[in-house]
């Protein structure tokens, strides 16, 4: 269907199904004039070209927007060859894409997507109208997702920084986990966890057990003590899962927290903590270095379960099993009980707004976030999560998780037979032995060191920084920069 031709001026041109995608006379001149007519009322960080064919438009576009990234969405397989795409930073073939919006979101930053200029090549649109419409829909989904993530970052980032300052002011004892040859089980708090509790008790010496914070209470209520409890959520409600009604059940438990986590101060002061620093978080590494605190590396994910699973994969070369990883709303309680949030919520139940109404609303309102988490596991299931299996007592899950295999406890028992049992091992705890005034001085010095960096602004003031990057007018850009510096000063004056 695709044919290459020589145009009148000797340049290559191309047709598909007898319809030409470029001029038969002077395709480079045609592409240049097209690009000259492209206008934007902002400085784009990325240009997404929808099937640009032989990309004669690209040279002029790069002259107009020299600092942008360039991405091509291809409809024609033959034009995915490297010889036609040397000027692009990324190329995606629509027909072979499982989910183009997710792939774009993975390839580009939220800032780049929210400042993208999307350009369709008219001949391609006319020849492939359905594919063109599909591409627009996928690009739109990626941009909307980036907008939501950027809004979340903007809303919570300052809260996360305050969490970090509280973390370094209050942490007392820290250690790291040693690599194990045991399989690792990660316990999430979905309803299916309940069916696995008796098996977790029975085979407890056969695995390293990591519990996300919301699963800790159901486990210790049954006398199952995890080797490690992990929490990386920076939101206020995350503290509820760590505000235990009785401390006697948890003393001696090892907790893994990112420095951004919302954690009760008494837990940081009284328990041994494994500090977690995300692999892409260079700013937090300044704090760890200044305090001389050892940390383990984690990967930032939208769900605590995702971070916990990748943490587990780094801890063992064996299989990682997940229990309670339903990733779906449920009728009634959304989590295996007891659950700290349920304790808080039931205090507000009354005759005109009973528990049934609250639980029904929770069932339907949770689907949006759970579908995002579920899609993350599905997207990574064949690559980063290749050693992960979902374990239950034949629980009827509503959704599969891509190529993550669902297995039962009989298979777990069979796979663990004749394996040497062992136990989790940790490095000897170290003490972060500085007093409060010394800690505040260190934090102040680090903040002063990093506050002028672009990385600091990107992390904690992403919206304001993006407005500056997008602004074309020099005077407006300077005014926005001055306003941002004032915001940073006002925030830091109150943060410590």
């Amino acid at each position: 269907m695709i044919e290459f031709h020589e145009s009148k001026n000797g340049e290559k041109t191309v047709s598909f199904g007898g319809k030409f995608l470029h001029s038969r006379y002077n395709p480079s001149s045609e592409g240049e004039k097209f690009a000259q007519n492209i206008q934007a009322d902002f400085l784009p960080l990325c240009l997404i070209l929808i099937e640009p064919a032989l990309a004669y438009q690209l040279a002029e576009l790069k002259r107009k927007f020299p600092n942008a990234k360039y991405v091509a969405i291809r409809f024609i397989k033959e034009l995915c060859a490297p010889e036609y795409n040397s000027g692009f930073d990324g190329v995606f073939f629509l027909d072979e894409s499982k989910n183009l919006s997710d792939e774009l979101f993975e390839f580009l930053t939220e800032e780049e997507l929210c400042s993208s200029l999307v350009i369709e090549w008219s001949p391609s649109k006319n020849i492939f109208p359905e594919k063109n419409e599909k591409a627009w829909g996928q690009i739109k989904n990626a941009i909307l997702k980036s907008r939501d993530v950027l809004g979340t970052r903007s809303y919570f980032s300052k809260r996360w920084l305050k969490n970090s300052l509280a973390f370094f002011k209050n942490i007392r004892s820290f250690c790291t986990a040693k690599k194990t040859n045991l399989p690792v089980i990660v316990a999430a708090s979905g309803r299916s966890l309940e069916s696995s509790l008796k098996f977790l008790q029975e085979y407890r010496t056969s695995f390293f057990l990591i519990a996300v914070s919301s699963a800790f209470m159901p486990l210790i209520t049954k006398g199952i003590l995890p080797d490690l409890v992990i929490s990386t959520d920076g939101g206020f409600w995350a503290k509820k899962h760590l505000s235990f009604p009785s401390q006697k059940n948890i003393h001696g438990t090892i907790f893994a927290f990112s420095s951004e986590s919302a954690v009760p101060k008494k837990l940081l002061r009284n328990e041994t903590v494994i500090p977690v620093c995300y692999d892409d978080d260079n700013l937090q590494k300044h704090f760890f270095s200044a305090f001389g605190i050892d940390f383990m590396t984690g990967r930032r994910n939208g769900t605590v379960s995702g971070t916990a699973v990748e943490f587990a994969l780094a801890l063992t070369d064996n299989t990682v099993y997940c229990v309670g990883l339903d990733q779906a709303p449920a009728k009634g309680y959304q989590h295996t009980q007891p659950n700290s949030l349920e304790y808080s919520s039931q205090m507000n139940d009354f005759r005109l707004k009973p528990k049934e109404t609250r639980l029904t609303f929770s069932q339907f309102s949770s689907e949006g976030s759970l579908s995002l988490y579920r899609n993350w596991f599905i997207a990574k299931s064949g690559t980063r999560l290749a050693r992960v299996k979902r374990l239950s007592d034949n629980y009827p899950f509503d959704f599969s998780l891509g190529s993550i295999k669902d297995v039962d406890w009989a298979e777990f028992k069979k796979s663990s037979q004749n394996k040497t049992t062992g136990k989790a091992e940790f490095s000897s705890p170290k003490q972060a032995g500085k007093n409060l005034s010394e800690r505040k001085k260190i934090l102040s010095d680090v903040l002063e060191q990093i506050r002028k960096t672009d990385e600091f602004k990107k992390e904690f003031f992403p919206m304001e920084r993006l407005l500056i990057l997008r602004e074309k007018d020099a005077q407006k850009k300077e005014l926005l920069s001055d306003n941002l510096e004032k915001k940073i000063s006002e925030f830091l004056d109150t943060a410590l």
Side-chain angles (χ1 to χ4, degrees), residues 151-407:
T152 301
R153 279 175 49 199
S154 183
Y155 183 82
F156 285 108
S157 58
K158 298 171 191 65
R159 175 70 265 170
W160 295 335
L161 179 56
K162 288 183 177 180
N163 289 345
S164 294
L165 300 179
F167 179 90
F168 288 105
K169 280 193 284 187
N170 291 285
I171 186 172
R172 295 294 184 270
S173 176
F174 62 92
C175 70
T176 55
K178 296 183 179 180
K179 195 157 184 175
T180 179
N181 60 357
L182 291 170
V184 177
I185 292 182
V186 175
S189 62
R191 291 288 297 275
S192 66
L193 172 62
E194 188 173 357
S195 70
S196 288
L197 292 174
K198 61 183 178 182
F199 298 103
L200 290 170
Q201 287 176 314
E202 182 177 353
Y203 303 126
R204 181 62 191 89
T205 59
S206 301
F207 52 82
F208 186 114
L209 180 59
I210 298 176
V212 304
S213 56
S214 58
F216 188 35
M217 285 186 66
L219 292 173
I220 60 173
T221 300
K222 293 294 185 180
I224 304 166
L225 188 65
D227 295 300
L228 183 65
V229 177
I230 188 168
S231 178
T232 57
D233 195 331
F236 169 79
W237 291 107
K239 281 188 177 182
K240 291 288 185 180
H241 292 306
L242 299 167
S243 301
F244 308 108
S246 172
Q247 295 293 310
K248 66 180 181 180
N249 290 329
I250 71 162
H251 190 64
T253 303
I254 304 294
F255 293 86
F257 299 131
S258 71
S259 53
E260 302 170 358
S261 301
V263 183
K265 293 177 182 177
K266 63 181 179 181
L267 208 58
L268 290 170
R269 292 169 180 167
N270 297 333
E271 306 300 332
T272 299
V273 171
I274 293 178
V276 177
C277 184
Y278 295 122
D279 55 357
D280 62 350
D281 199 338
N282 293 320
L283 291 176
Q284 293 296 329
K285 291 172 185 175
H286 285 282
F287 291 109
F288 281 110
S289 177
F291 280 89
I293 293 176
D294 301 327
F295 62 84
M296 296 186 70
T297 301
R299 272 191 166 181
R300 191 188 302 274
N301 292 301
T303 164
V304 176
S305 295
T307 300
V309 168
E310 294 202 292
F311 188 87
L313 287 167
L315 205 58
T316 184
D317 294 325
N318 209 318
T319 305
V320 171
Y321 297 92
C322 297
V323 294
L325 192 67
D326 301 8
Q327 300 295 287
K331 293 181 179 179
Y333 294 119
Q334 299 302 299
H335 303 277
T336 294
Q337 301 299 303
N339 181 273
S340 297
L341 297 185
E342 174 60 24
Y343 282 144
S344 300
S345 298
Q346 67 186 5
M347 302 300 292
N348 296 317
D349 294 338
F350 64 101
R351 184 170 60 87
L352 298 179
K353 194 176 179 182
K355 177 173 70 174
E356 288 76 10
T357 300
R358 171 171 57 81
L359 293 180
T360 300
F361 176 78
S362 178
Q363 175 188 351
F364 290 102
S365 64
S366 63
E367 168 56 22
S369 57
L370 287 171
S371 66
L372 287 176
Y373 305 157
R374 185 169 65 243
N375 287 334
W376 181 86
F377 278 95
I378 292 170
K380 307 300 178 190
S381 61
T383 53
R384 279 159 49 180
L385 309 185
R387 284 190 285 121
V388 176
K389 296 180 180 180
R390 183 164 60 172
L391 179 61
S392 74
D393 186 25
N394 296 299
Y395 187 84
F397 292 108
D398 290 336
F399 297 98
S400 64
L401 297 179
S403 59
I404 293 176
K405 185 180 178 181
D406 288 333
V407 299

Side-chain angles (χ1 to χ4, degrees), residues 434-450:
K434 295 177 175 61
N435 61 41
L436 184 58
S437 61
E438 290 175 325
R439 290 171 185 242
K440 286 185 175 180
K441 176 65 168 59
I442 293 172
L443 290 171
S444 179
D445 290 344
V446 173
L447 287 171
E448 191 60 34
Q449 176 188 349
I450 65 176

Side-chain angles (χ1 to χ4, degrees), residues 123-134:
S124 299
K125 175 185 176 182
N126 295 333
I127 297 172
F128 306 100
E130 292 181 359
K131 290 184 178 183
N132 191 76
E133 185 176 354
K134 181 180 178 181

